[in-house]
């Protein structure tokens, strides 16, 4: 144990390779990611502001959506600014403490899983239990669900982060990624000593949360779609389909990439695949979400137009 403790402090910083390529391509990638980052912030901030200022959107569904958009703002700010700065860095280094801090705040993906589940629960109540919806999904209960998502989301990933701080990083410090993520860090530590217990715990916790929320969301929308198919009104079916399809599109974008990354962290993936999947759900999914929710929702489009006209 003392030996592990002694070598665990050998690595004081990590090197994030990012996207090693020719300078011209790096400039092109920087431009793409920078524009995507700015549009992501603007899109999600617009949704938050629209829900805040339009009283017609002060309903549980839009309150949850506003919190989800605010979460996306926090999410991209946990990794994208550092990724952009690394394009112009000569050393591309990040300190051990900053790496762990980034890892922890990047765990906002846990909170995203919970919010997607709560949003699915809200749609299930609204469509499958419409008469009970006003008495169940009250403002107070909605606030409790929001608080639960934020608090539990931060606490859930605390154990893996603490485990990572105890790992023996004895020398290898090059991370072939653009951020400090769980998989690459476990891979570096396993190059020093076998850590099957830590890999098992992290993989189990990640898989448990991912699959539990995914199956719950899938089950909820299966029940919702069954009820929607029985709605006699074509307009009613179209409106319900429009809302549910937006949510399902976000669920598919998020979970399809997250499952590839976190179900078996540290197990090793094809070269570039880890980086691609991480890039997809950490940069591009938050970018697409505002467009998915606003373009397919008349109330949100009207609120955004009203907010833009006021500005």
């Amino acid at each position: 144990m003392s030996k592990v403790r002694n070598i665990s402090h050998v690595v004081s910083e990590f090197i994030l390779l990012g996207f090693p390529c020719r300078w011209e391509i790096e400039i092109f990638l920087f431009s793409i990611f920078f524009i995507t980052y700015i549009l992501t912030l603007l899109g999600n901030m617009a949704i938050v502001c629209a829900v805040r200022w339009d009283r017609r959107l002060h309903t549980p569904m839009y309150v949850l959506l506003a919190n989800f958009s605010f979460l996306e703002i926090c999410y991209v700010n946990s990794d994208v600014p550092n990724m952009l700065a690394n394009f112009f860095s000569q050393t591309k280094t990040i300190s051990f403490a900053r790496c762990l801090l980034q890892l922890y705040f990047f765990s906002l993906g846990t909170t995203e899983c919970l919010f997607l589940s709560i949003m699915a629960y809200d749609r299930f109540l609204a469509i499958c239990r419409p008469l009970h919806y006003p008495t169940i999904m009250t403002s107070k209960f909605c606030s409790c669900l929001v608080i639960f998502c934020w608090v539990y989301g931060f606490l859930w990933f605390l154990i893996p982060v603490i485990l990572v701080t105890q790992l023996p990083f004895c020398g290898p410090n090059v991370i072939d990624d653009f951020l400090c993520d769980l998989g690459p860090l476990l891979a570096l530590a396993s190059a020093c000593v076998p850590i099957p217990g830590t890999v098992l715990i992290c993989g189990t916790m990640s898989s448990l949360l991912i699959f539990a929320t995914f199956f719950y969301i899938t089950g909820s929308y299966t029940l919702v779609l069954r009820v929607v198919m029985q709605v006699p009104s074509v307009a009613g079916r179209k409106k319900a389909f429009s809302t549910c399809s937006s949510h399902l599109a976000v669920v598919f974008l998020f979970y399809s990439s997250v499952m590839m990354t976190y179900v078996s962290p540290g197990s090793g993936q094809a070269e570039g695949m880890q980086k691609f999947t991480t890039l997809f759900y950490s940069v591009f999914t938050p970018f697409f979400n505002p467009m998915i929710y606003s373009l397919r929702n008349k109330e949100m489009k009207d609120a955004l137009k009203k907010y833009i006209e006021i500005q």
Side-chain angles (χ1 to χ4, degrees), residues 3 23 45 56 66 103 111 123 143 156 159 179 184 191 211 214 217 242 253 274 288 299 310:
K3 182 179 179 181
W23 175 248
M45 286 173 60
R56 293 173 301 174
L103 173 65
T111 311
R123 290 302 83 203
S143 299
W156 180 266
I159 293 176
L179 54 77
F211 283 111
F214 177 74
I217 293 170
S242 177
L253 286 173
Q274 166 88 24
F288 288 123
E299 289 83 359
I310 292 176

mmCIF file with all atom_site columns, all heavy atoms in Angstrom, residues 3 23 45 56 66 103 111 123 143 156 159 179 184 191 211 214 217 242 253 274 288 299 310:
data_model
loop_
_atom_site.group_PDB
_atom_site.id
_atom_site.type_symbol
_atom_site.label_atom_id
_atom_site.label_alt_id
_atom_site.label_comp_id
_atom_site.label_asym_id
_atom_site.label_entity_id
_atom_site.label_seq_id
_atom_site.pdbx_PDB_ins_code
_atom_site.Cartn_x
_atom_site.Cartn_y
_atom_site.Cartn_z
_atom_site.occupancy
_atom_site.B_iso_or_equiv
_atom_site.pdbx_formal_charge
_atom_site.auth_seq_id
_atom_site.auth_comp_id
_atom_site.auth_asym_id
_atom_site.auth_atom_id
_atom_site.pdbx_PDB_model_num
ATOM 1   N N   . LYS A 1 3   ? 3.780   1.521  -1.289  1.00 0.00 ? 3   LYS A N   1
ATOM 2   C CA  . LYS A 1 3   ? 4.382   1.664  -2.599  1.00 0.00 ? 3   LYS A CA  1
ATOM 3   C C   . LYS A 1 3   ? 3.422   2.364  -3.550  1.00 0.00 ? 3   LYS A C   1
ATOM 4   O O   . LYS A 1 3   ? 3.805   3.273  -4.305  1.00 0.00 ? 3   LYS A O   1
ATOM 5   C CB  . LYS A 1 3   ? 4.768   0.295  -3.167  1.00 0.00 ? 3   LYS A CB  1
ATOM 6   C CG  . LYS A 1 3   ? 5.458   0.384  -4.536  1.00 0.00 ? 3   LYS A CG  1
ATOM 7   C CD  . LYS A 1 3   ? 5.834   -0.997 -5.009  1.00 0.00 ? 3   LYS A CD  1
ATOM 8   C CE  . LYS A 1 3   ? 6.506   -0.920 -6.385  1.00 0.00 ? 3   LYS A CE  1
ATOM 9   N NZ  . LYS A 1 3   ? 6.875   -2.242 -6.892  1.00 0.00 ? 3   LYS A NZ  1
ATOM 10  N N   . TRP A 1 23  ? -1.402  22.184 -39.210 1.00 0.00 ? 23  TRP A N   1
ATOM 11  C CA  . TRP A 1 23  ? -1.843  23.465 -38.671 1.00 0.00 ? 23  TRP A CA  1
ATOM 12  C C   . TRP A 1 23  ? -3.104  23.970 -39.371 1.00 0.00 ? 23  TRP A C   1
ATOM 13  O O   . TRP A 1 23  ? -4.019  24.487 -38.726 1.00 0.00 ? 23  TRP A O   1
ATOM 14  C CB  . TRP A 1 23  ? -0.710  24.480 -38.801 1.00 0.00 ? 23  TRP A CB  1
ATOM 15  C CG  . TRP A 1 23  ? -1.072  25.868 -38.394 1.00 0.00 ? 23  TRP A CG  1
ATOM 16  C CD1 . TRP A 1 23  ? -1.181  26.966 -39.177 1.00 0.00 ? 23  TRP A CD1 1
ATOM 17  C CD2 . TRP A 1 23  ? -1.406  26.306 -37.063 1.00 0.00 ? 23  TRP A CD2 1
ATOM 18  N NE1 . TRP A 1 23  ? -1.536  28.070 -38.448 1.00 0.00 ? 23  TRP A NE1 1
ATOM 19  C CE2 . TRP A 1 23  ? -1.695  27.693 -37.138 1.00 0.00 ? 23  TRP A CE2 1
ATOM 20  C CE3 . TRP A 1 23  ? -1.500  25.660 -35.822 1.00 0.00 ? 23  TRP A CE3 1
ATOM 21  C CZ2 . TRP A 1 23  ? -2.044  28.439 -36.019 1.00 0.00 ? 23  TRP A CZ2 1
ATOM 22  C CZ3 . TRP A 1 23  ? -1.854  26.415 -34.711 1.00 0.00 ? 23  TRP A CZ3 1
ATOM 23  C CH2 . TRP A 1 23  ? -2.124  27.777 -34.816 1.00 0.00 ? 23  TRP A CH2 1
ATOM 24  N N   . MET A 1 45  ? -29.202 29.390 -23.995 1.00 0.00 ? 45  MET A N   1
ATOM 25  C CA  . MET A 1 45  ? -29.549 30.592 -23.224 1.00 0.00 ? 45  MET A CA  1
ATOM 26  C C   . MET A 1 45  ? -30.880 31.172 -23.694 1.00 0.00 ? 45  MET A C   1
ATOM 27  O O   . MET A 1 45  ? -31.660 31.678 -22.881 1.00 0.00 ? 45  MET A O   1
ATOM 28  C CB  . MET A 1 45  ? -28.438 31.639 -23.361 1.00 0.00 ? 45  MET A CB  1
ATOM 29  C CG  . MET A 1 45  ? -27.178 31.311 -22.571 1.00 0.00 ? 45  MET A CG  1
ATOM 30  S SD  . MET A 1 45  ? -25.819 32.460 -22.907 1.00 0.00 ? 45  MET A SD  1
ATOM 31  C CE  . MET A 1 45  ? -26.558 34.015 -22.404 1.00 0.00 ? 45  MET A CE  1
ATOM 32  N N   . ARG A 1 56  ? -46.505 31.945 -20.168 1.00 0.00 ? 56  ARG A N   1
ATOM 33  C CA  . ARG A 1 56  ? -47.211 30.794 -20.735 1.00 0.00 ? 56  ARG A CA  1
ATOM 34  C C   . ARG A 1 56  ? -46.361 29.526 -20.654 1.00 0.00 ? 56  ARG A C   1
ATOM 35  O O   . ARG A 1 56  ? -46.897 28.413 -20.725 1.00 0.00 ? 56  ARG A O   1
ATOM 36  C CB  . ARG A 1 56  ? -47.562 31.078 -22.202 1.00 0.00 ? 56  ARG A CB  1
ATOM 37  C CG  . ARG A 1 56  ? -48.575 32.184 -22.420 1.00 0.00 ? 56  ARG A CG  1
ATOM 38  C CD  . ARG A 1 56  ? -48.726 32.490 -23.895 1.00 0.00 ? 56  ARG A CD  1
ATOM 39  N NE  . ARG A 1 56  ? -47.456 32.888 -24.498 1.00 0.00 ? 56  ARG A NE  1
ATOM 40  C CZ  . ARG A 1 56  ? -47.279 33.094 -25.803 1.00 0.00 ? 56  ARG A CZ  1
ATOM 41  N NH1 . ARG A 1 56  ? -48.311 32.935 -26.636 1.00 0.00 ? 56  ARG A NH1 1
ATOM 42  N NH2 . ARG A 1 56  ? -46.094 33.457 -26.267 1.00 0.00 ? 56  ARG A NH2 1
ATOM 43  N N   . ALA A 1 66  ? -35.993 24.166 -19.386 1.00 0.00 ? 66  ALA A N   1
ATOM 44  C CA  . ALA A 1 66  ? -35.097 25.281 -19.082 1.00 0.00 ? 66  ALA A CA  1
ATOM 45  C C   . ALA A 1 66  ? -33.926 24.816 -18.230 1.00 0.00 ? 66  ALA A C   1
ATOM 46  O O   . ALA A 1 66  ? -32.774 25.223 -18.457 1.00 0.00 ? 66  ALA A O   1
ATOM 47  C CB  . ALA A 1 66  ? -35.874 26.391 -18.364 1.00 0.00 ? 66  ALA A CB  1
ATOM 48  N N   . LEU A 1 103 ? -12.863 16.281 -14.715 1.00 0.00 ? 103 LEU A N   1
ATOM 49  C CA  . LEU A 1 103 ? -13.533 14.984 -14.696 1.00 0.00 ? 103 LEU A CA  1
ATOM 50  C C   . LEU A 1 103 ? -14.813 15.042 -13.875 1.00 0.00 ? 103 LEU A C   1
ATOM 51  O O   . LEU A 1 103 ? -15.854 14.517 -14.281 1.00 0.00 ? 103 LEU A O   1
ATOM 52  C CB  . LEU A 1 103 ? -12.591 13.920 -14.131 1.00 0.00 ? 103 LEU A CB  1
ATOM 53  C CG  . LEU A 1 103 ? -13.196 12.526 -13.883 1.00 0.00 ? 103 LEU A CG  1
ATOM 54  C CD1 . LEU A 1 103 ? -13.614 11.885 -15.195 1.00 0.00 ? 103 LEU A CD1 1
ATOM 55  C CD2 . LEU A 1 103 ? -12.200 11.635 -13.154 1.00 0.00 ? 103 LEU A CD2 1
ATOM 56  N N   . THR A 1 111 ? -26.283 13.989 -14.445 1.00 0.00 ? 111 THR A N   1
ATOM 57  C CA  . THR A 1 111 ? -27.458 14.822 -14.235 1.00 0.00 ? 111 THR A CA  1
ATOM 58  C C   . THR A 1 111 ? -28.338 14.841 -15.473 1.00 0.00 ? 111 THR A C   1
ATOM 59  O O   . THR A 1 111 ? -29.569 14.875 -15.383 1.00 0.00 ? 111 THR A O   1
ATOM 60  C CB  . THR A 1 111 ? -27.028 16.261 -13.878 1.00 0.00 ? 111 THR A CB  1
ATOM 61  O OG1 . THR A 1 111 ? -26.049 16.219 -12.833 1.00 0.00 ? 111 THR A OG1 1
ATOM 62  C CG2 . THR A 1 111 ? -28.210 17.088 -13.410 1.00 0.00 ? 111 THR A CG2 1
ATOM 63  N N   . ARG A 1 123 ? -43.941 13.607 -19.471 1.00 0.00 ? 123 ARG A N   1
ATOM 64  C CA  . ARG A 1 123 ? -44.742 13.339 -20.664 1.00 0.00 ? 123 ARG A CA  1
ATOM 65  C C   . ARG A 1 123 ? -45.667 12.141 -20.451 1.00 0.00 ? 123 ARG A C   1
ATOM 66  O O   . ARG A 1 123 ? -46.784 12.115 -20.965 1.00 0.00 ? 123 ARG A O   1
ATOM 67  C CB  . ARG A 1 123 ? -43.832 13.099 -21.869 1.00 0.00 ? 123 ARG A CB  1
ATOM 68  C CG  . ARG A 1 123 ? -43.090 14.321 -22.373 1.00 0.00 ? 123 ARG A CG  1
ATOM 69  C CD  . ARG A 1 123 ? -44.042 15.448 -22.777 1.00 0.00 ? 123 ARG A CD  1
ATOM 70  N NE  . ARG A 1 123 ? -44.470 16.259 -21.626 1.00 0.00 ? 123 ARG A NE  1
ATOM 71  C CZ  . ARG A 1 123 ? -45.568 16.985 -21.584 1.00 0.00 ? 123 ARG A CZ  1
ATOM 72  N NH1 . ARG A 1 123 ? -46.395 16.970 -22.610 1.00 0.00 ? 123 ARG A NH1 1
ATOM 73  N NH2 . ARG A 1 123 ? -45.865 17.703 -20.528 1.00 0.00 ? 123 ARG A NH2 1
ATOM 74  N N   . SER A 1 143 ? -40.346 21.244 -8.583  1.00 0.00 ? 143 SER A N   1
ATOM 75  C CA  . SER A 1 143 ? -39.131 21.825 -7.995  1.00 0.00 ? 143 SER A CA  1
ATOM 76  C C   . SER A 1 143 ? -38.321 20.769 -7.256  1.00 0.00 ? 143 SER A C   1
ATOM 77  O O   . SER A 1 143 ? -37.084 20.761 -7.325  1.00 0.00 ? 143 SER A O   1
ATOM 78  C CB  . SER A 1 143 ? -39.507 22.966 -7.043  1.00 0.00 ? 143 SER A CB  1
ATOM 79  O OG  . SER A 1 143 ? -40.186 23.997 -7.722  1.00 0.00 ? 143 SER A OG  1
ATOM 80  N N   . TRP A 1 156 ? -23.619 11.226 -7.451  1.00 0.00 ? 156 TRP A N   1
ATOM 81  C CA  . TRP A 1 156 ? -23.454 9.890  -8.010  1.00 0.00 ? 156 TRP A CA  1
ATOM 82  C C   . TRP A 1 156 ? -22.033 9.654  -8.500  1.00 0.00 ? 156 TRP A C   1
ATOM 83  O O   . TRP A 1 156 ? -21.460 8.598  -8.278  1.00 0.00 ? 156 TRP A O   1
ATOM 84  C CB  . TRP A 1 156 ? -24.452 9.680  -9.152  1.00 0.00 ? 156 TRP A CB  1
ATOM 85  C CG  . TRP A 1 156 ? -24.344 8.318  -9.795  1.00 0.00 ? 156 TRP A CG  1
ATOM 86  C CD1 . TRP A 1 156 ? -23.624 7.976  -10.888 1.00 0.00 ? 156 TRP A CD1 1
ATOM 87  C CD2 . TRP A 1 156 ? -24.978 7.107  -9.347  1.00 0.00 ? 156 TRP A CD2 1
ATOM 88  N NE1 . TRP A 1 156 ? -23.769 6.642  -11.177 1.00 0.00 ? 156 TRP A NE1 1
ATOM 89  C CE2 . TRP A 1 156 ? -24.598 6.079  -10.239 1.00 0.00 ? 156 TRP A CE2 1
ATOM 90  C CE3 . TRP A 1 156 ? -25.839 6.807  -8.289  1.00 0.00 ? 156 TRP A CE3 1
ATOM 91  C CZ2 . TRP A 1 156 ? -25.047 4.779  -10.101 1.00 0.00 ? 156 TRP A CZ2 1
ATOM 92  C CZ3 . TRP A 1 156 ? -26.289 5.507  -8.160  1.00 0.00 ? 156 TRP A CZ3 1
ATOM 93  C CH2 . TRP A 1 156 ? -25.891 4.507  -9.053  1.00 0.00 ? 156 TRP A CH2 1
ATOM 94  N N   . ILE A 1 159 ? -18.032 9.058  -6.176  1.00 0.00 ? 159 ILE A N   1
ATOM 95  C CA  . ILE A 1 159 ? -17.269 7.850  -5.826  1.00 0.00 ? 159 ILE A CA  1
ATOM 96  C C   . ILE A 1 159 ? -16.219 7.517  -6.886  1.00 0.00 ? 159 ILE A C   1
ATOM 97  O O   . ILE A 1 159 ? -15.047 7.301  -6.551  1.00 0.00 ? 159 ILE A O   1
ATOM 98  C CB  . ILE A 1 159 ? -18.224 6.659  -5.600  1.00 0.00 ? 159 ILE A CB  1
ATOM 99  C CG1 . ILE A 1 159 ? -19.082 6.908  -4.358  1.00 0.00 ? 159 ILE A CG1 1
ATOM 100 C CG2 . ILE A 1 159 ? -17.435 5.357  -5.447  1.00 0.00 ? 159 ILE A CG2 1
ATOM 101 C CD1 . ILE A 1 159 ? -20.113 5.834  -4.096  1.00 0.00 ? 159 ILE A CD1 1
ATOM 102 N N   . LEU A 1 179 ? -10.029 15.938 -23.368 1.00 0.00 ? 179 LEU A N   1
ATOM 103 C CA  . LEU A 1 179 ? -10.412 16.239 -21.995 1.00 0.00 ? 179 LEU A CA  1
ATOM 104 C C   . LEU A 1 179 ? -10.030 15.080 -21.084 1.00 0.00 ? 179 LEU A C   1
ATOM 105 O O   . LEU A 1 179 ? -9.663  13.996 -21.550 1.00 0.00 ? 179 LEU A O   1
ATOM 106 C CB  . LEU A 1 179 ? -11.909 16.530 -21.893 1.00 0.00 ? 179 LEU A CB  1
ATOM 107 C CG  . LEU A 1 179 ? -12.918 15.513 -22.435 1.00 0.00 ? 179 LEU A CG  1
ATOM 108 C CD1 . LEU A 1 179 ? -13.103 14.332 -21.519 1.00 0.00 ? 179 LEU A CD1 1
ATOM 109 C CD2 . LEU A 1 179 ? -14.257 16.188 -22.677 1.00 0.00 ? 179 LEU A CD2 1
ATOM 110 N N   . PRO A 1 184 ? -9.840  7.081  -20.319 1.00 0.00 ? 184 PRO A N   1
ATOM 111 C CA  . PRO A 1 184 ? -8.411  7.279  -20.506 1.00 0.00 ? 184 PRO A CA  1
ATOM 112 C C   . PRO A 1 184 ? -7.610  7.306  -19.207 1.00 0.00 ? 184 PRO A C   1
ATOM 113 O O   . PRO A 1 184 ? -6.481  6.809  -19.156 1.00 0.00 ? 184 PRO A O   1
ATOM 114 C CB  . PRO A 1 184 ? -8.339  8.641  -21.220 1.00 0.00 ? 184 PRO A CB  1
ATOM 115 C CG  . PRO A 1 184 ? -9.641  8.758  -21.932 1.00 0.00 ? 184 PRO A CG  1
ATOM 116 C CD  . PRO A 1 184 ? -10.642 8.100  -21.023 1.00 0.00 ? 184 PRO A CD  1
ATOM 117 N N   . ALA A 1 191 ? -1.807  0.891  -16.632 1.00 0.00 ? 191 ALA A N   1
ATOM 118 C CA  . ALA A 1 191 ? -0.479  0.649  -17.199 1.00 0.00 ? 191 ALA A CA  1
ATOM 119 C C   . ALA A 1 191 ? 0.579   0.543  -16.102 1.00 0.00 ? 191 ALA A C   1
ATOM 120 O O   . ALA A 1 191 ? 1.681   0.054  -16.355 1.00 0.00 ? 191 ALA A O   1
ATOM 121 C CB  . ALA A 1 191 ? -0.107  1.772  -18.170 1.00 0.00 ? 191 ALA A CB  1
ATOM 122 N N   . PHE A 1 211 ? -28.154 2.383  -18.012 1.00 0.00 ? 211 PHE A N   1
ATOM 123 C CA  . PHE A 1 211 ? -29.175 1.436  -18.449 1.00 0.00 ? 211 PHE A CA  1
ATOM 124 C C   . PHE A 1 211 ? -30.485 1.603  -17.678 1.00 0.00 ? 211 PHE A C   1
ATOM 125 O O   . PHE A 1 211 ? -31.568 1.429  -18.256 1.00 0.00 ? 211 PHE A O   1
ATOM 126 C CB  . PHE A 1 211 ? -28.657 0.000  -18.320 1.00 0.00 ? 211 PHE A CB  1
ATOM 127 C CG  . PHE A 1 211 ? -27.716 -0.389 -19.418 1.00 0.00 ? 211 PHE A CG  1
ATOM 128 C CD1 . PHE A 1 211 ? -26.375 -0.586 -19.163 1.00 0.00 ? 211 PHE A CD1 1
ATOM 129 C CD2 . PHE A 1 211 ? -28.165 -0.539 -20.721 1.00 0.00 ? 211 PHE A CD2 1
ATOM 130 C CE1 . PHE A 1 211 ? -25.496 -0.935 -20.171 1.00 0.00 ? 211 PHE A CE1 1
ATOM 131 C CE2 . PHE A 1 211 ? -27.307 -0.888 -21.743 1.00 0.00 ? 211 PHE A CE2 1
ATOM 132 C CZ  . PHE A 1 211 ? -25.965 -1.091 -21.471 1.00 0.00 ? 211 PHE A CZ  1
ATOM 133 N N   . PHE A 1 214 ? -32.109 4.639  -19.189 1.00 0.00 ? 214 PHE A N   1
ATOM 134 C CA  . PHE A 1 214 ? -32.460 4.384  -20.586 1.00 0.00 ? 214 PHE A CA  1
ATOM 135 C C   . PHE A 1 214 ? -33.690 3.485  -20.691 1.00 0.00 ? 214 PHE A C   1
ATOM 136 O O   . PHE A 1 214 ? -34.621 3.772  -21.465 1.00 0.00 ? 214 PHE A O   1
ATOM 137 C CB  . PHE A 1 214 ? -31.282 3.744  -21.319 1.00 0.00 ? 214 PHE A CB  1
ATOM 138 C CG  . PHE A 1 214 ? -31.583 3.372  -22.743 1.00 0.00 ? 214 PHE A CG  1
ATOM 139 C CD1 . PHE A 1 214 ? -31.677 4.357  -23.720 1.00 0.00 ? 214 PHE A CD1 1
ATOM 140 C CD2 . PHE A 1 214 ? -31.793 2.055  -23.112 1.00 0.00 ? 214 PHE A CD2 1
ATOM 141 C CE1 . PHE A 1 214 ? -31.975 4.027  -25.046 1.00 0.00 ? 214 PHE A CE1 1
ATOM 142 C CE2 . PHE A 1 214 ? -32.076 1.711  -24.430 1.00 0.00 ? 214 PHE A CE2 1
ATOM 143 C CZ  . PHE A 1 214 ? -32.168 2.708  -25.396 1.00 0.00 ? 214 PHE A CZ  1
ATOM 144 N N   . ILE A 1 217 ? -36.791 5.406  -19.592 1.00 0.00 ? 217 ILE A N   1
ATOM 145 C CA  . ILE A 1 217 ? -37.238 6.331  -20.638 1.00 0.00 ? 217 ILE A CA  1
ATOM 146 C C   . ILE A 1 217 ? -37.909 5.570  -21.776 1.00 0.00 ? 217 ILE A C   1
ATOM 147 O O   . ILE A 1 217 ? -38.982 5.960  -22.259 1.00 0.00 ? 217 ILE A O   1
ATOM 148 C CB  . ILE A 1 217 ? -36.038 7.150  -21.164 1.00 0.00 ? 217 ILE A CB  1
ATOM 149 C CG1 . ILE A 1 217 ? -35.520 8.084  -20.064 1.00 0.00 ? 217 ILE A CG1 1
ATOM 150 C CG2 . ILE A 1 217 ? -36.438 7.955  -22.400 1.00 0.00 ? 217 ILE A CG2 1
ATOM 151 C CD1 . ILE A 1 217 ? -34.203 8.754  -20.410 1.00 0.00 ? 217 ILE A CD1 1
ATOM 152 N N   . SER A 1 242 ? -45.269 15.184 -31.930 1.00 0.00 ? 242 SER A N   1
ATOM 153 C CA  . SER A 1 242 ? -44.265 16.225 -32.092 1.00 0.00 ? 242 SER A CA  1
ATOM 154 C C   . SER A 1 242 ? -43.450 16.398 -30.817 1.00 0.00 ? 242 SER A C   1
ATOM 155 O O   . SER A 1 242 ? -42.218 16.459 -30.846 1.00 0.00 ? 242 SER A O   1
ATOM 156 C CB  . SER A 1 242 ? -44.936 17.549 -32.470 1.00 0.00 ? 242 SER A CB  1
ATOM 157 O OG  . SER A 1 242 ? -43.985 18.588 -32.559 1.00 0.00 ? 242 SER A OG  1
ATOM 158 N N   . LEU A 1 253 ? -29.634 10.654 -29.435 1.00 0.00 ? 253 LEU A N   1
ATOM 159 C CA  . LEU A 1 253 ? -28.346 11.300 -29.653 1.00 0.00 ? 253 LEU A CA  1
ATOM 160 C C   . LEU A 1 253 ? -27.434 11.121 -28.444 1.00 0.00 ? 253 LEU A C   1
ATOM 161 O O   . LEU A 1 253 ? -26.237 10.821 -28.577 1.00 0.00 ? 253 LEU A O   1
ATOM 162 C CB  . LEU A 1 253 ? -28.533 12.794 -29.931 1.00 0.00 ? 253 LEU A CB  1
ATOM 163 C CG  . LEU A 1 253 ? -29.084 13.186 -31.306 1.00 0.00 ? 253 LEU A CG  1
ATOM 164 C CD1 . LEU A 1 253 ? -29.369 14.680 -31.353 1.00 0.00 ? 253 LEU A CD1 1
ATOM 165 C CD2 . LEU A 1 253 ? -28.103 12.796 -32.398 1.00 0.00 ? 253 LEU A CD2 1
ATOM 166 N N   . GLN A 1 274 ? -13.021 6.514  -28.965 1.00 0.00 ? 274 GLN A N   1
ATOM 167 C CA  . GLN A 1 274 ? -13.277 7.159  -27.679 1.00 0.00 ? 274 GLN A CA  1
ATOM 168 C C   . GLN A 1 274 ? -13.395 8.674  -27.873 1.00 0.00 ? 274 GLN A C   1
ATOM 169 O O   . GLN A 1 274 ? -14.308 9.316  -27.354 1.00 0.00 ? 274 GLN A O   1
ATOM 170 C CB  . GLN A 1 274 ? -12.133 6.847  -26.701 1.00 0.00 ? 274 GLN A CB  1
ATOM 171 C CG  . GLN A 1 274 ? -12.096 7.706  -25.445 1.00 0.00 ? 274 GLN A CG  1
ATOM 172 C CD  . GLN A 1 274 ? -12.924 7.145  -24.326 1.00 0.00 ? 274 GLN A CD  1
ATOM 173 O OE1 . GLN A 1 274 ? -13.174 5.944  -24.274 1.00 0.00 ? 274 GLN A OE1 1
ATOM 174 N NE2 . GLN A 1 274 ? -13.362 8.001  -23.423 1.00 0.00 ? 274 GLN A NE2 1
ATOM 175 N N   . PHE A 1 288 ? -27.279 20.457 -30.866 1.00 0.00 ? 288 PHE A N   1
ATOM 176 C CA  . PHE A 1 288 ? -28.506 20.074 -31.569 1.00 0.00 ? 288 PHE A CA  1
ATOM 177 C C   . PHE A 1 288 ? -29.755 20.200 -30.695 1.00 0.00 ? 288 PHE A C   1
ATOM 178 O O   . PHE A 1 288 ? -30.854 20.426 -31.226 1.00 0.00 ? 288 PHE A O   1
ATOM 179 C CB  . PHE A 1 288 ? -28.400 18.634 -32.077 1.00 0.00 ? 288 PHE A CB  1
ATOM 180 C CG  . PHE A 1 288 ? -27.459 18.468 -33.237 1.00 0.00 ? 288 PHE A CG  1
ATOM 181 C CD1 . PHE A 1 288 ? -26.399 17.590 -33.154 1.00 0.00 ? 288 PHE A CD1 1
ATOM 182 C CD2 . PHE A 1 288 ? -27.640 19.193 -34.400 1.00 0.00 ? 288 PHE A CD2 1
ATOM 183 C CE1 . PHE A 1 288 ? -25.515 17.428 -34.216 1.00 0.00 ? 288 PHE A CE1 1
ATOM 184 C CE2 . PHE A 1 288 ? -26.773 19.051 -35.476 1.00 0.00 ? 288 PHE A CE2 1
ATOM 185 C CZ  . PHE A 1 288 ? -25.703 18.161 -35.378 1.00 0.00 ? 288 PHE A CZ  1
ATOM 186 N N   . GLU A 1 299 ? -45.164 26.466 -29.172 1.00 0.00 ? 299 GLU A N   1
ATOM 187 C CA  . GLU A 1 299 ? -45.133 27.375 -28.038 1.00 0.00 ? 299 GLU A CA  1
ATOM 188 C C   . GLU A 1 299 ? -43.735 27.942 -27.813 1.00 0.00 ? 299 GLU A C   1
ATOM 189 O O   . GLU A 1 299 ? -43.570 29.137 -27.543 1.00 0.00 ? 299 GLU A O   1
ATOM 190 C CB  . GLU A 1 299 ? -45.595 26.655 -26.757 1.00 0.00 ? 299 GLU A CB  1
ATOM 191 C CG  . GLU A 1 299 ? -47.068 26.325 -26.719 1.00 0.00 ? 299 GLU A CG  1
ATOM 192 C CD  . GLU A 1 299 ? -47.392 25.032 -27.446 1.00 0.00 ? 299 GLU A CD  1
ATOM 193 O OE1 . GLU A 1 299 ? -46.446 24.405 -27.991 1.00 0.00 ? 299 GLU A OE1 1
ATOM 194 O OE2 . GLU A 1 299 ? -48.574 24.645 -27.473 1.00 0.00 ? 299 GLU A OE2 1
ATOM 195 N N   . ILE A 1 310 ? -38.458 41.598 -28.217 1.00 0.00 ? 310 ILE A N   1
ATOM 196 C CA  . ILE A 1 310 ? -38.270 42.480 -27.049 1.00 0.00 ? 310 ILE A CA  1
ATOM 197 C C   . ILE A 1 310 ? -36.842 42.997 -27.019 1.00 0.00 ? 310 ILE A C   1
ATOM 198 O O   . ILE A 1 310 ? -36.568 44.166 -26.712 1.00 0.00 ? 310 ILE A O   1
ATOM 199 C CB  . ILE A 1 310 ? -38.599 41.721 -25.746 1.00 0.00 ? 310 ILE A CB  1
ATOM 200 C CG1 . ILE A 1 310 ? -40.101 41.417 -25.686 1.00 0.00 ? 310 ILE A CG1 1
ATOM 201 C CG2 . ILE A 1 310 ? -38.169 42.543 -24.535 1.00 0.00 ? 310 ILE A CG2 1
ATOM 202 C CD1 . ILE A 1 310 ? -40.514 40.603 -24.500 1.00 0.00 ? 310 ILE A CD1 1
#
